[in-house]
Amino acid sequence: MPAVHHKLLLEDALQDSPQTRSLLSVFEEDAGMLTDYTNQLLQSMQRVFGAQSEMGLATEQLSRQLLEYEKKNFALGKGDEEVITTLQNFAKTVGELNSLHSELANQMADSMVFPLIQFREKDLTEISTLKEIFGIATDEHEAAMVKYSRLPKKKENEKLKADLVKEVAYTRRKQHQASLQYYCALNALQYRKRVAMLEPMLGYTQAQTSFFKKGIELVSKKMDSFLSSVSNMTQSIQAQLDSEAEGMRVSQRELLSVEDTVYMPDKDCEPVNRTLIQKAGYLNIRNKTGLVTTAWDRLYFFTQGGNLMCQPRGAVAGGMVLDLDNSSVMAVECEDRRYCFQITSPSGKTSMILQAESKKEYEEWICTVNNISRQIYLTDNPEAVAIRLNQTAIQAVTPITSFEKRQEGSPNPDRAKPGGVHTTGSQKSGAAPEPEDLIAPGTPIQFDIMLPASEFQDQNRAGGRRTNPFGETEDDCSTESDDSLLQQVFAVRFLGSMAVRCGNNQEVIYEAMRQVLAARAIHNIFRTTESHLMVTSSSIRLIDPQTQVTRLSFQLGEVCQFAAHQENGRLMGFVVEGRDWSDGDEEGEPSFSAFVFESNTEGEKICYTINLAKDITEAKKDPEALAQLMKNMPLTNDGKFLLLEPETGDTTDGAGQEDLESEA
C-alpha cells in the first residue's frame, strides 16, 4: 500500500508558523470533505440495508400469499390442482430464500453499516472536537501575548511582569498540547479513512457472496427438476392460450362479418316461432311511481317451468314475478309505445305490462306465455304438443270483424247468425270431451259486432224507443218492459263469438274462451268496445251505450249454457241455441253459438242474474210459483227483484245493487 507523503510535523507545532498554518488548513479542508462524503456514503449503505430488510419481509409475505391461492376457492378454478401444488412448492422455496435474505440483511448491518457509523462517530467526531479545542487554546495564547506586549518600558512592575510571563507560558503550553493532539489526529485520519472506505464494502461483498453460494446450493440440489417441470407446464399452457386466442380471433371475425341488420332493432329476418315453451330476453316493464306517473325499467326476463322470472343486472339469480299457469296474455296499447302486451293472473288481481324490442320478440313472448298458460310444459313431449296446438290455432283463428265478412267466408251462411251452426257431432259421455268434440277445427271467430246499415236505419226510422240501460220506465214503454220483473245492466266488452258443436256442457264455454283469447293474441287484436249487457226476465240484450241501439238480442229460452271463467273471474260467456234450416227440414237442426265477454265486475254476478231471470221466466208459467218466488225474494221500490250476492245469498241494500250495475 502506498505511504502517506503529506503529514503535519509535530516539531513545527510550537513554532506555529504561517507555513504550518497553511498546511493545517489543507488537512482541515480534507477532513471536512471526508465528513460530507462519509455521510452520503452511509446514507447509500443504509438504503441498501433497508432494501435488503424489506426484501426479507416481502419474500415472507410472498410465501404466505402463495399459500392463500388454495383457500380462495375460485368459481372457475376447476383443473387448478396442479397449479396449487406447484405454488405450494414455490412457497416452500420462497420461505427458504427468505431465511437467506434475512441472514444477508444481518450480515450487511454488522459488516457494512456498523463500521462506517463507527468511523463517523469516533474518528470524524474526534477531529471536530480537537479542532474546537485547538482554536480556543490559540485564542487564549493570542490574548496573553497582547497583554504581555503592553508592559510599560519606563515604569516596570516586576510583579505584573512575572504574572504576565506565567500567563503567556501557560497558554503557550496549552496551545502546544492541543496542536500536538490535533496534528496527530489529522495525520492518523489519512490512514483511517482508507480503512473506513474499504472495510464496509469488503463486508458487503462477503455477505453477498455467501448469500449467492447458499442460493446456488439450494437451487442446484433441490430445484433443477422442479424448475424444469414448471417451465414445461408454462409452455404447454401458453400453447393452449395461443390456440384459444387464434380460435377467438377467427370467431370474432366471423361474428363481426354479419349484416348490419343484426344490430338494428325490429329488423328480424327469421320467422316467428309460435311453438316456444321457453323464452328469455330483455323487456321493458311498466312501474307506477306515483298516482299518475309511471316509469319503464329494462330488465331481463325468462321463463322457468310455469313461472315468469326476472333478473336485474348484477343479480346472482332471478326471482319469480308471476305464475303463468292459466294466466291470460294479450296485446295492449300503452303510453303510445310499440310492442306492448299485458299478462294477467288467473284471478285478475295481478297484471303487468311489458314492452318487447321488436315485433318478432313481441309475438314470440305472447305465444310463449300463451303456451305456458296451457301447461304444455307438463306433458311428455311439450314441443310436439306446442306445434300441434299452434297448427290447430292457425287453422281455427281467422279474424272476422262483421257479420257480412263472416257470411262471405263461411261455407254455411247461416253460421254467421247466432245459433245458426249445425251440430256435427254429439258430446262424448263419461270422460272429459276433447276440444274437437266441442268446437270444430277451423271454425272462424268474430271479434266485433257490426250492424248492417239497413238494420241501423230501420231501428231509427221506425221511431223505435232506445233501450234505457238503467231500467227506467217511460209512459210509452211497451207492455213487455212494463211486465219485466228484472232489469240489470252490466258494463262488458265483447271479445268474440264462434260456432260450437254442443250446448249442454260448460266446457264448450271454457274452450271458446281459450280459442278467442289465443286468436286475439296471435293476430294482435287488442281493441275492444265497451257495451251494456242488459239481463231482463225475458231476454238478454247487448246495447251500444252511445246510441242506445240494441246490437244483439236473445230470448232467455235460447240461452242454454252460461258460465264464468274458473280462474279469471272477469271473463264470462254463454251459449245460444238456434235452428239451421239449410237441409230443408221444417223444424231445422239445432245449432249453437258461444259468446265471450269481459266484464268490469265479477262474471259470477252476471251468471247469477241470468239464472235468476230464468227462474222468473219459469215462475211466470205458474202464478203460485211466481207468488212464492216474489215472497222469498225482496223487491225494489218499482216492483223489480232486488238481486242477491251469489256468495252469501243475503239480501243486499241499494249499495249492493249499484255494485252489480255497470260502472259506465
Side-chain angles (χ1 to χ4, degrees):
M1 181 177 180
V4 177
H5 299 287
H6 302 285
K7 65 179 180 179
L8 293 169
L9 297 178
L10 300 181
E11 294 82 2
D12 298 336
L14 182 60
Q15 185 70 24
D16 195 19
S17 63
Q19 291 81 8
T20 303
R21 284 280 183 169
S22 177
L23 183 60
L24 177 62
S25 65
V26 174
F27 274 77
E28 288 177 344
E29 183 181 359
D30 187 82
M33 294 176 63
L34 180 62
T35 301
D36 294 338
Y37 176 77
T38 301
N39 290 331
Q40 295 174 3
L41 180 62
L42 180 60
Q43 185 178 2
S44 299
M45 290 185 175
Q46 287 176 337
R47 185 176 180 182
V48 173
F49 168 72
Q52 185 59 44
S53 300
E54 180 63 26
M55 185 66 177
L57 297 176
T59 52
E60 182 181 1
Q61 183 180 4
L62 175 61
S63 178
R64 292 196 302 266
Q65 200 65 33
L66 291 175
L67 296 176
E68 288 292 325
Y69 184 86
E70 182 182 8
K71 302 177 183 179
K72 291 301 180 181
N73 295 325
F74 292 99
L76 304 177
K78 186 177 181 181
D80 285 351
E81 294 79 7
E82 191 173 2
V83 175
I84 292 174
T85 304
T86 304
L87 291 180
Q88 290 175 347
N89 293 333
F90 270 122
K92 182 179 179 182
T93 303
V94 172
E96 295 176 354
L97 292 175
N98 175 48
S99 62
L100 296 181
H101 283 291
S102 300
E103 183 179 353
L104 176 60
N106 294 331
Q107 290 178 354
M108 285 183 179
D110 296 337
S111 60
M112 180 180 70
V113 179
F114 178 72
L116 195 60
I117 292 177
Q118 192 176 21
F119 169 71
R120 185 186 68 173
E121 299 297 332
K122 181 180 179 182
D123 297 330
L124 296 180
T125 303
E126 182 185 8
I127 294 295
S128 177
T129 303
L130 291 175
K131 181 179 180 180
E132 292 179 0
I133 295 174
F134 176 71
I136 294 172
T138 301
D139 293 339
E140 291 178 353
H141 177 259
E142 291 294 333
M145 287 302 298
V146 170
K147 291 181 182 180
Y148 179 76
S149 300
R150 292 178 180 176
L151 283 174
K153 180 179 178 181
K154 294 180 179 180
K155 295 181 180 181
E156 293 186 359
N157 188 339
E158 295 295 333
K159 183 179 179 182
L160 178 60
K161 181 179 179 181
D163 291 340
L164 291 176
V165 170
K166 289 182 181 179
E167 183 178 356
V168 170
Y170 173 76
T171 56
R172 183 170 290 176
R173 183 181 183 87
K174 185 178 178 180
Q175 181 191 11
H176 188 212
Q177 291 177 349
S179 63
L180 289 177
Q181 292 178 356
Y182 187 35
Y183 289 0
C184 290
L186 289 175
N187 289 334
L189 184 62
Q190 303 305 310
Y191 295 95
R192 289 174 180 172
K193 73 177 182 180
R194 299 184 181 184
V195 176
M197 297 300 106
L198 298 178
E199 186 178 6
M201 292 309 302
L202 177 62
Y204 171 75
T205 307
Q206 289 177 345
Q208 290 284 9
T209 302
S210 175
F211 171 77
F212 288 125
K213 284 182 179 180
K214 293 180 180 179
I216 290 175
E217 293 176 359
L218 174 65
V219 174
S220 61
K221 293 181 179 180
K222 298 182 180 180
M223 301 199 59
D224 284 344
S225 59
F226 172 67
L227 294 178
S228 177
S229 63
V230 173
S231 177
N232 295 334
M233 182 192 306
T234 55
Q235 291 176 3
S236 175
I237 295 175
Q238 184 63 38
Q240 296 177 6
L241 173 60
D242 294 341
S243 176
E244 183 68 20
E246 181 61 27
M248 288 189 291
R249 282 193 291 270
V250 173
S251 299
Q252 185 177 5
R253 286 195 297 268
E254 292 178 354
L255 293 174
L256 292 177
S257 63
V258 297
E259 302 259 340
D260 291 340
T261 55
V262 174
Y263 304 102
M264 298 179 183
D266 204 15
K267 293 291 183 180
D268 300 310
C269 300
E270 298 180 0
V272 177
N273 187 355
R274 304 183 184 277
T275 62
L276 296 175
I277 56 174
Q278 288 183 344
K279 183 69 177 172
Y282 280 97
L283 296 172
N284 293 329
I285 182 171
R286 181 175 179 263
N287 296 317
K288 288 188 176 180
T289 58
L291 294 177
V292 294
T293 58
T294 58
W296 293 80
D297 298 325
R298 189 169 184 262
L299 301 175
Y300 186 80
F301 289 85
F302 62 95
T303 60
Q304 185 175 23
N307 300 323
L308 179 64
M309 314 290 287
C310 175
Q311 183 173 357
R313 289 182 184 271
V316 178
M320 190 183 78
V321 179
L322 190 65
D323 185 1
L324 298 179
D325 287 346
N326 298 317
S327 64
S328 61
V329 57
M330 64 184 301
V332 295
E333 285 187 346
C334 184
E335 299 182 7
D336 197 24
R337 286 177 173 249
R338 300 184 304 167
Y339 312 134
C340 294
F341 59 95
Q342 176 175 305
I343 304 176
T344 306
S345 63
S347 63
K349 297 180 179 179
T350 303
S351 64
M352 62 175 57
I353 296 179
L354 304 171
Q355 180 188 21
E357 182 179 290
S358 64
K359 184 176 181 181
K360 176 177 178 292
E361 289 289 310
Y362 159 76
E363 294 184 4
E364 286 187 351
W365 270 106
I366 290 177
C367 294
T368 303
V369 174
N370 189 42
N371 291 337
I372 294 176
S373 67
R374 304 179 191 178
Q375 300 183 348
I376 296 176
Y377 65 93
L378 298 177
T379 60
D380 295 334
N381 191 356
E383 289 81 3
V385 175
I387 293 174
R388 180 175 61 83
L389 290 178
N390 178 66
Q391 292 175 348
T392 303
I394 292 177
Q395 296 173 358
V397 292
T398 303
I400 299 176
T401 58
S402 69
F403 283 111
E404 299 294 334
K405 293 183 179 180
R406 172 170 289 190
Q407 291 175 359
E408 294 174 1
S410 173
N412 186 356
D414 291 333
R415 292 174 62 181
K417 302 178 181 178
V421 177
H422 178 70
T423 303
T424 58
S426 60
Q427 179 183 350
K428 295 181 180 179
S429 60
E434 295 293 332
E436 293 80 2
D437 298 333
L438 302 175
I439 301 175
T443 301
I445 298 176
Q446 177 177 327
F447 295 120
D448 196 5
I449 301 174
M450 298 180 64
L451 289 175
S454 59
E455 182 177 347
F456 181 80
Q457 293 173 358
D458 291 342
Q459 289 194 27
N460 289 278
R461 263 196 216 111
R465 184 183 60 87
R466 291 184 177 182
T467 305
N468 191 329
F470 299 100
E472 297 176 358
T473 59
E474 298 179 358
D475 295 338
D476 57 347
C477 292
S478 63
T479 306
E480 182 180 356
S481 299
D482 293 336
D483 296 339
S484 178
L485 297 176
L486 173 67
Q487 285 186 355
Q488 194 66 29
V489 178
F490 301 93
V492 297
R493 285 169 294 280
F494 178 74
L495 299 181
S497 64
M498 60 190 308
V500 296
R501 285 181 165 175
C502 62
N504 58 350
N505 193 331
Q506 289 186 349
E507 294 295 330
V508 70
I509 300 178
Y510 302 144
E511 179 62 20
M513 292 178 179
R514 186 192 66 78
Q515 290 198 20
V516 168
L517 292 178
R520 281 182 168 269
I522 291 175
H523 293 283
N524 302 328
I525 301 174
F526 50 85
R527 291 184 180 274
T528 57
T529 303
E530 185 170 289
S531 303
H532 289 166
L533 184 68
M534 175 181 285
V535 181
T536 68
S537 57
S538 60
S539 64
I540 296 178
R541 283 178 285 174
L542 189 66
I543 302 170
D544 188 331
Q546 301 296 330
T547 63
Q548 300 300 313
V549 172
T550 301
R551 306 177 69 182
L552 287 178
S553 178
F554 304 106
Q555 296 299 316
L556 279 181
E558 298 175 347
V559 180
C560 53
Q561 281 292 337
F562 50 91
H565 196 277
Q566 295 173 327
E567 301 293 340
N568 188 353
R570 297 176 63 184
L571 294 178
M572 66 82 55
F574 54 82
V575 179
V576 177
E577 181 179 359
R579 294 291 170 178
D580 184 2
W581 290 275
S582 59
D583 295 338
D585 191 353
E586 294 183 358
E587 296 183 357
E589 293 292 333
S591 61
F592 304 92
S593 297
F595 293 81
V596 181
F597 299 89
E598 181 185 22
S599 64
N600 290 343
T601 59
E602 293 293 331
E604 289 290 346
K605 295 180 180 180
I606 301 178
C607 295
Y608 172 77
T609 305
I610 296 175
N611 186 63
L612 178 60
K614 282 184 167 289
D615 291 343
I616 295 174
T617 301
E618 292 296 325
K620 285 182 179 180
K621 301 176 181 179
D622 186 358
E624 295 181 359
L626 180 59
Q628 184 64 30
L629 181 61
M630 295 179 65
K631 181 179 180 181
N632 295 334
M633 295 290 292
L635 300 178
T636 62
N637 295 332
D638 55 358
K640 296 183 176 62
F641 282 101
L642 181 63
L643 297 184
L644 303 180
E645 289 292 337
E647 292 82 6
T648 60
D650 297 333
T651 303
T652 63
D653 54 9
Q657 185 176 358
E658 291 179 0
D659 291 339
L660 290 176
E661 291 179 353
S662 169
E663 298 177 0

